[in-house]
Amino acid sequence: MLRRTLMGCLTLAAAGLATIAGPAAHADLKAPYARAAAIVDADGSLNESKNVVKAWRASTGRYCVQLSHYIDARSSLIQLTPRHALRLPHIAYRHPSLTCEEDNTITVNVYSTHTGRLADSGFDLLVS
């Protein structure tokens, strides 16, 4: 299980490097060991994804990621990786919250490491 998770993380990191190398808007993310994956930009737009319906920015530093209906967000292992070195994303809720009222959503809050307050930043999300 750990091996699959690590392979999924490496695949997601490689996909992030490929994204930096050239523009790829709304392409399918190749993550064979992940149940779902997403690269979310700072404005909340979905750069690349696998089994993710949509993503959006709810407010400053608050993001919502809605998974496909056959992947249960409540019982999944979720890993977040910041796209900016001075930001720290964390999972606030795994199901509908006051921020993200859609079904099967993950609410992600991103904080600045300098101020400790919510701040906009992109992140990578991996669901295994």
Side-chain angles (χ1 to χ4, degrees):
M1 183 68 182
L2 181 60
R3 178 182 232 164
R4 280 193 226 159
T5 303
L6 290 175
M7 287 301 294
C9 294
L10 289 174
T11 303
L12 187 59
L17 291 175
T19 302
I20 293 170
H26 303 288
D28 288 331
L29 185 64
K30 306 279 191 269
Y33 299 106
R35 291 174 41 206
I39 297 174
V40 179
D41 292 332
D43 64 357
S45 63
L46 199 56
N47 192 328
E48 293 189 60
S49 67
K50 174 184 177 180
N51 294 328
V52 173
V53 177
K54 63 182 176 177
W56 67 95
R57 180 180 165 271
S59 63
T60 301
R62 295 180 194 263
Y63 298 87
C64 304
V65 180
Q66 185 178 26
L67 303 178
S68 297
H69 68 355
Y70 49 87
I71 297 174
D72 187 8
R74 294 173 295 177
S75 63
S76 299
L77 174 65
I78 301 167
Q79 178 182 349
L80 295 170
T81 305
R83 305 284 285 162
H84 186 277
L86 300 176
R87 300 290 188 257
L88 183 63
H90 83 277
I91 299 167
Y93 298 97
R94 292 177 182 253
H95 206 55
S97 65
L98 294 176
T99 304
C100 308
E101 296 178 356
E102 305 274 336
D103 284 333
N104 209 27
T105 58
I106 299 169
T107 305
V108 177
N109 289 347
V110 180
Y111 288 92
S112 167
T113 57
H114 284 292
T115 65
R117 295 183 181 195
L118 290 167
D120 291 337
S121 180
F123 57 89
D124 299 341
L125 178 135
L126 176 73
V127 178
S128 4

